[in-house]
Structure formats: C-alpha cells, structure tokens
Amino acid sequence: MAGGGAGLAKRLGTFLSGLLECGVFCGVIFGWASLVFVLKDLNYFRDLCQPTNTSHNQTSQTGCGEQDEQFSLVFTIGSFMNNFMTFPMGFIFDRFGTATARLIAITLYTGGTLLVAFSTPELAVLLFPAMSMLSVGGILLILTNMQVGNLFGKYRSIIITLYNGAFDSSSATFLIVKVLYGHGLSLKAMFLFMAACSAWHLLRTLFLMPCTRIPYPLPPGYNYGLRCPGHSKSYRTYEEKRRPEVAGPEETPLEGSAPRGGRDPPGVSFRACVCSKLFAWHVAWLSVMQLRHYLFIGTFNPLLNHLARGDRQLVSTYTNAFAFTQLCGVLCAPWNGLILDRHKRGKTPRPEGALGALADLRASVLSLVVTVVQCVLFSICVAVPVLPVQFATFMLQVLSRSFLYGGNAAFLAIAFPPQHFGKLYGLAMALSALVALLQYPCIALVRGPLHGDPFYVNLGLIAVVLVAFVSPVVVARECRRRAKELGAAGTPLAAPPGAETPTEMPH
C-alpha cells in the first residue's frame, strides 16, 4: 500500500467510513420497489385510480394502472437525474474539489429526505423532486468517494469496485424502511432520521476527505483532512522536488503518434477523450445494460403483481427477497476488482510506463465481457414469465449491476487521464441517462398495446444488450494497436518509479 503523511489508521478510517456511507446512503433510489410497497399502503397517487367494485383495502394494496404509471414516472425521472446531473457535478468536482462537491451533495440529500418526510398522499407530487435530490446527492457522494482507492496503490480497482458494490447494496435501505413501517414506525420519523444522518457526511467531509482530490500515484508524505489548503504541503514539496525531466501522471503524453525521442506534447485534452472510439463504445456498453436494469426496477412492483395475480402476500415476499439480494452487491463487486487487478498480483513486478498502462487496459477486456454475459443471462431470466424463476433473476441482477457500475468507474480510471475522471464519469452517466429515458415508452407499450404482458419487450431487450459486446472488442483491438506501437518503438515511455501513466488515446 502507498504510504505517506496519512497513516494506515487514518487511511483505513477513510476507507471504512466511506464504505459505510456508500452502503447506506448513496444508491437508495434503487430500493424503489420496497418504498413503493409502503407508499401504496399509504395511498399515494390513489386518487388517480378509477372507482371500481373492489374494496378500498384491496385497491390500496394492489394499486391500479394509473397509480403504477405514476410511481414508474417518479423512478424514471429520479434515475434520469441520478445519471444526467453527474456530468455538471463531475465538472464541479474536478474544478472546485472534494469539499465543495460534498457540501452540495449533503445539501441535496438532506433536502430530499425532508421532502419525503413531509410528503402526504395529498402532496404525493413532492416525491418527484425528493427522489431526484436523493439521486443526485447520492451519486455525488460516491463520486467523491471513489478517489479513496488512490490511497491503496495496487488495490485501487478493488476498492473502486467495492464502493460501487456498496452503492448497489444501499438500495436495501428502503427494505429497512419497509420492515420498520410494518412494525409501526411512521414514514416521516424514518426520513427525519435519515436527514439527521447528514451530520455524519459533514464530519467525514471535514476530517476524513481531502479538500481538493487525492492524487494518483500517491506522493510521499501526502496528507489530507481539515487543515489542507488546496494541495497539502507534502504534495507541493513532492512537486517542487521532482526532477523537471520526469513527467508526472498527468503530464505524460497520451497520443500514440507522438515521437518518442522528441519533446513531450501536453497531456490529452478532454475533447480528445470524448471523441475517442474507446469512450463512445464504452458509453454504449453502459447505456444498454443500464436501460435493462432501470426498466426492471421501475416495473418491478407491477411485474410481480402480474405474475402473482394480485396476491399481496406473494408480492411482499418477493419484494423482500429482491431487496435482500441487493445487500450482496458489496460482496459481488470486489470480484470484478480482482479481475481488473489480477495482473498486479503475480510474482513478476508490474511493468511501469506505457507497458503498465497497456497491461491495465488488457485486464479490463475480460471484465467488460463477463459483465455483458451476466446481463444477458439476467435479461433471459426476466423474460421467463414464471414467478419462482425470478429468484434467479434477483441474483443475476445484483451480480450484473455490481459488475456494471464498478467496472464502469474502474475502466474510466484505467483508460483515461485522472484529471478528466470526474468529467468523463459524469458525461458517461449523463449520456446513458438519455438512453435510460426509453424505459418510459417501454412501460407505456406494455401498459397499452401489450395489455400488461412485458414478454415481447423483455425479448427485445435481450437483443439490445448484445450490442454491449462491441465495447470489449474495441478495447482488445486498441490493446493490439498499442502493443504494435510499443514493439516498433522498442522502448516503453519512461515513468517515475511506482507511477502508472494514463493510457494512450486511440486515433
């Protein structure tokens, strides 16, 4: 592990507290299925239902098409904001640093929990801004936490994927809300408690997070916390003492066509990153699989009602089972990190410079392929209209989703310069959010022409997910191209000891 001014105890405290933060608060919106069960029982949006001969109690338990559509719309908008607003927030994170980004996140999160706490069936419209604020606040919290992996050197990808797995597991927070509601606690009391937990986020911001960003590779004597004016003193000292002819991780040339013996050009621009095939196909990889997951979560409650034929007890049992499987996200995600970091654990030392960057990129190909295979299997199980099969669906969904988001963050950290990570992560999430809006017309298609049967939509989504296989093929071809360039040059780019240079950009 990387050492420095921050001791092991402080770095472990940062890691564990960040894991708790991500695992309880950041991705709560993805536990929407559990919260919908409570909101239906409280008759949110029930005024949209047409009067029928059924009893009041039965209507509140099973809902109606108009009520289900409104709940789906809340989730669609919330999940869209979760991704789309990551782009401007990524700019804020890169430009103003961790402290500013986290203060914005805490404000949004606190506001969202207070809106839910003071909402009523008559003010159900408050759910729209509330879920959006919870989404944006949560994604900004995890964005600031992913840099914690920089404190742990060769375990960097494992920690990034672990945090994303914890993000998935936080969807179980709404399961706890559902269980406690069943034991008599009010929705208002529980969300007021969640609002009070913002004090925890504030304390982490002040004492266990940097003011700006944690650099990678970690310089000697690096420290962070409350008394850190911009860069830490140790970081400035490292920059001042470093030999001018030795390029740091952000100054290393990235263009494959750069002359090896000449003067190094400046680092690659954000625009060059965005215009690369590597980034474009990675966004497609993320978008199609995220659409599949979002559509599953957004239509989960109506799907169970359809398969269980309105049996409330069965719906409750399967909802709990799904929420419990979400807890396993934090256990599933590190396996992706092990795949990404597998080349760093051999007896031979990991190569430095461009060869090391190439080794990292090669390791990502298997991760990308495994993630797509998992999502295809998950999509097949969703399409099977048999209720017991959904247990397998739940397990494959949490495994696929953990690999998807952990792999997305780790790949962007590996394939592109660190100074653009926040912006690229935000842009990738924003573009995938636009694709995720297709879930609403899909829901309308199921409700209308397909008469509530999602079979054909699920079948079509299997074909859409197959498009994601293009991304690992593009990455593999890029690895071969870079290997040929390095072989022709004869000598890899020089890098300071222990440094990982960013990868080259494709033409």
Side-chain angles (χ1 to χ4, degrees):
M1 292 184 184
L8 179 61
K10 184 175 183 178
R11 286 184 284 125
L12 284 177
T14 301
F15 164 65
L16 294 174
S17 60
L19 193 63
L20 178 64
E21 184 173 83
C22 293
V24 178
F25 302 101
C26 291
V28 293
I29 189 173
F30 298 106
W32 179 244
S34 297
L35 187 62
V36 164
F37 193 89
V38 175
L39 296 173
K40 279 190 174 183
D41 196 67
L42 291 171
N43 294 323
Y44 279 63
F45 298 122
R46 185 180 173 274
D47 58 306
L48 298 174
C49 297
Q50 298 298 322
T52 63
N53 294 327
T54 57
S55 67
H56 168 88
N57 189 43
Q58 184 179 349
T59 302
S60 67
Q61 290 169 354
T62 60
C64 61
E66 294 82 0
Q67 185 185 35
D68 287 337
E69 189 171 348
Q70 202 71 2
F71 282 127
S72 295
L73 183 59
V74 173
F75 178 77
T76 299
I77 294 174
S79 58
F80 171 79
M81 294 297 289
N82 175 270
N83 287 359
F84 188 77
M85 289 303 294
T86 309
F87 185 39
M89 293 304 170
F91 269 103
I92 290 173
F93 174 55
D94 283 347
R95 175 66 180 84
F96 298 103
T98 303
T100 301
R102 286 183 62 83
L103 289 175
I104 294 173
I106 293 167
T107 301
L108 289 170
Y109 200 91
T110 306
T113 51
L114 289 175
L115 284 177
V116 177
F118 291 104
S119 68
T120 63
E122 292 73 27
L123 292 174
V125 70
L126 291 178
L127 292 176
F128 286 97
M131 289 302 118
S132 296
M133 292 170 75
L134 286 175
S135 295
V136 178
I139 200 70
L140 192 49
L141 284 176
I142 191 173
L143 180 62
T144 61
N145 272 306
M146 282 188 288
Q147 61 183 320
V148 173
N150 295 350
L151 295 172
F152 295 89
K154 65 181 180 180
Y155 301 105
R156 181 192 188 202
S157 295
I158 294 175
I159 289 174
I160 290 174
T161 53
L162 185 63
Y163 271 22
N164 278 271
F167 176 87
D168 292 339
S169 295
S170 65
S171 59
T173 297
F174 281 166
L175 169 64
I176 298 172
V177 170
K178 176 179 179 290
V179 171
L180 293 178
Y181 173 79
H183 284 79
L185 264 68
S186 69
L187 191 69
K188 181 177 181 179
M190 288 183 282
F191 274 85
L192 284 176
F193 175 79
M194 290 176 66
C197 289
S198 294
W200 158 261
H201 306 311
L202 186 60
L203 289 174
R204 282 200 75 240
T205 303
L206 294 176
F207 298 104
L208 291 176
M209 294 296 288
C211 294
T212 52
R213 289 194 304 272
I214 300 173
Y216 186 78
L218 205 64
Y222 177 76
N223 205 346
Y224 57 93
L226 185 61
R227 300 174 63 184
C228 56
H231 288 302
S232 68
K233 180 179 179 181
S234 58
Y235 184 72
R236 292 199 309 271
T237 303
Y238 172 72
E239 290 294 307
E240 291 162 1
K241 289 184 177 179
R242 192 176 63 182
R243 290 179 298 139
E245 67 272 14
V246 177
E250 296 189 6
E251 295 92 1
T252 304
L254 303 175
E255 292 295 331
S257 58
R260 304 298 183 187
R263 192 185 186 104
D264 288 341
V268 72
S269 67
F270 172 67
R271 181 179 178 180
C273 294
V274 172
C275 294
S276 67
K277 289 183 180 179
L278 214 59
F279 182 75
W281 280 109
H282 180 72
V283 170
W285 175 89
L286 173 66
S287 299
V288 296
M289 290 191 284
Q290 181 174 258
L291 174 63
R292 171 64 276 183
H293 285 280
Y294 277 11
L295 189 60
F296 176 71
I297 296 171
T299 61
F300 182 78
N301 189 267
L303 174 66
L304 286 187
N305 275 315
H306 174 73
L307 295 178
R309 302 184 186 279
D311 187 324
R312 183 175 186 268
Q313 190 57 46
L314 266 179
V315 172
S316 179
T317 299
Y318 275 81
T319 300
N320 288 349
F322 173 67
F324 275 120
T325 58
Q326 301 307 296
L327 289 169
C328 299
V330 70
L331 302 177
C332 299
W335 291 102
N336 199 12
L338 291 172
I339 292 174
L340 289 163
D341 286 341
R342 66 188 186 279
H343 62 293
K344 301 178 184 178
R345 297 188 297 273
K347 293 182 179 179
T348 57
R350 176 190 176 277
E352 301 297 339
L355 286 178
L358 178 60
D360 288 345
L361 197 63
R362 276 176 173 162
S364 70
V365 174
L366 179 60
S367 170
L368 296 172
V369 171
V370 169
T371 305
V372 182
V373 170
Q374 290 169 347
C375 194
V376 170
L377 293 175
F378 156 61
S379 302
I380 291 172
C381 287
V382 176
V384 178
V386 178
L387 197 56
V389 173
Q390 300 313 306
F391 286 119
T393 301
F394 300 161
M395 291 184 286
L396 285 167
Q397 191 270 344
V398 70
L399 185 64
S400 170
R401 192 160 167 268
S402 296
F403 269 61
L404 176 64
Y405 289 111
N408 169 50
F411 178 81
L412 292 174
I414 287 170
F416 300 99
Q419 70 268 31
H420 299 315
F421 174 78
K423 297 184 288 292
L424 289 172
Y425 182 84
L427 181 59
M429 297 298 280
L431 293 173
S432 68
L434 295 175
V435 177
L437 287 176
L438 293 173
Q439 63 182 299
Y440 196 69
C442 288
I443 292 169
L445 180 63
V446 173
R447 294 258 176 267
L450 297 180
H451 307 291
D453 186 357
F455 177 77
Y456 292 106
V457 169
N458 289 332
L459 210 59
L461 284 171
I462 296 174
V464 171
V465 169
L466 292 175
V467 173
F469 276 115
V470 177
S471 178
V473 172
V474 170
V475 176
R477 291 181 63 184
E478 177 64 14
C479 289
R480 286 197 295 270
R481 184 187 70 81
R482 295 183 189 183
K484 287 180 180 177
E485 284 194 357
L486 290 175
T491 306
L493 293 171
E500 280 189 32
T501 58
T503 56
E504 300 169 8
M505 292 297 304
H507 297 297

